[in-house]
Amino acid sequence: MIQVNINKNSFADLHLHTNFSDGTYTPEKLAAEAKRHDLKAVALTDHDTVEGCARMAVACAALGIEFIPASEFTAELGEEEIHLLGYFLDTNNPKLLQELAKFQEVRQQRIRQMVERINDHGIPLRADDVFTLANCRSPGRPHVARAMVQEGFCAGMDEAFDRFLKKGKPAWVPKFKMSAAQAIELIHHAGGLAVLAHPALNRNDNLIPPLVSLGLDGLECYHTKHSPTATQNYLQLAQQFNLLVTGGSDCHGTSKGKPLIGTVKLPCHYVELLKNRVLQRAVEGGFRLADAPPPLSPKS
Ligand code: AMP
Ligand code: FE
Ligand code: FE
Ligand code: ZN
């Protein structure tokens, strides 16, 4: 793993998507954009997949950027959908890959169901067009929306979401999700840290204490859709519950207008704290230290 020189002007982005899920950038393009924004460390957090991590690791290594293998797990706590970020995952862990494959199948089946409902509304969209456009194992609603735009059935993605794909709209199909307990256990099993993504979007801070009981390691305090007040609130809650702090732009490339990479910059000392926790876990779990990432070497 690359060790970067961290100082107070070093920044990371720990929430990024590629075309291995619903982003538009390839891993190589994303790494190049990270370099352009002078990011010293990045994590790839594609939805329910780690497939892009191998290519992203190579691309980042070539550019001297520290890379953290990760994923954004779709999970639920009670009735609520939550997104759990798993950081420092062993992307070859057999159980992780087996479980992710199940949920990728769920996503593919859901695309077929959504397309059927769109067909029921007289729009002859074909599931194969969505799969061809998505060209990944973890397709989602944005791919359906893009296919509708591409085929001329909607003027833009927002129209596709507003008319068909939003929760409660005619083509919305609920997604079978893993439980929060299962997701956190899976992340830990693969050597990773479990972090609640964009908590402000759930508008329910009561979710946090039960997640802490399930082993949650951190809170994504800095996020594109967090107001400064929300960020302060989550920083305070992170301190209260002894949780790690993360942050990222949630960049999906050019699919939602302007790419967001570079707009949320997490100071690298937070990455150092994450690595310390991973190391501590490795020691407690009896892993060989050589398997665990080295700490960042601070230079001011
Ligand atoms: P899914 O995982 O299939 O439920 O899709 C969720 C994804 O849809 C998330 O990445 C959201 O950011 C994205 N999304 C939600 N609303 C919109 C919208 N109006 N335009 C584009 N993407 C959206
Ligand atoms: Fe997404
Ligand atoms: Fe998310
Ligand atoms: Zn995301």
Side-chain angles (χ1 to χ4, degrees), residues 17 22 47-48 72 74 81 83 107 110-111 114 139-142 145 157-159 161-162 166 172 175 225 250 252 255-256:
H17 296 269
D22 56 359
H47 299 283
D48 301 318
E72 183 172 10
T74 315
E81 176 168 326
H83 292 178
R107 280 180 169 274
R110 181 174 176 242
I111 297 285
M114 289 193 288
R141 284 180 290 165
M157 285 180 71
D158 282 341
E159 184 190 328
F161 269 88
D162 290 342
K166 273 187 180 166
W172 181 76
K175 186 166 45 177
K225 292 194 173 161
D250 210 350
H252 283 71
S255 73
K256 299 173 189 173

Side-chain angles (χ1 to χ4, degrees), residues 244-297:
L244 293 157
V245 170
T246 74
S249 65
D250 210 350
C251 178
H252 283 71
T254 55
S255 73
K256 299 173 189 173
K258 194 177 166 295
L260 293 170
I261 187 169
T263 58
V264 175
K265 291 185 156 187
L266 182 76
C268 271
H269 73 265
Y270 288 117
V271 179
E272 192 182 9
L273 296 173
L274 293 175
K275 294 176 83 166
N276 287 344
R277 185 70 64 92
V278 173
L279 273 174
Q280 189 190 333
R281 283 278 166 74
V283 172
E284 287 165 7
F287 300 123
R288 283 188 309 129
L289 277 181
D291 296 337
L296 293 167
S297 52

Side-chain angles (χ1 to χ4, degrees), residues 29-47:
K29 171 71 175 166
L30 183 62
E33 286 299 301
K35 187 73 185 172
R36 200 165 69 80
H37 287 283
D38 200 25
L39 295 168
K40 299 290 189 267
V42 295
L44 180 58
T45 57
D46 273 320
H47 299 283

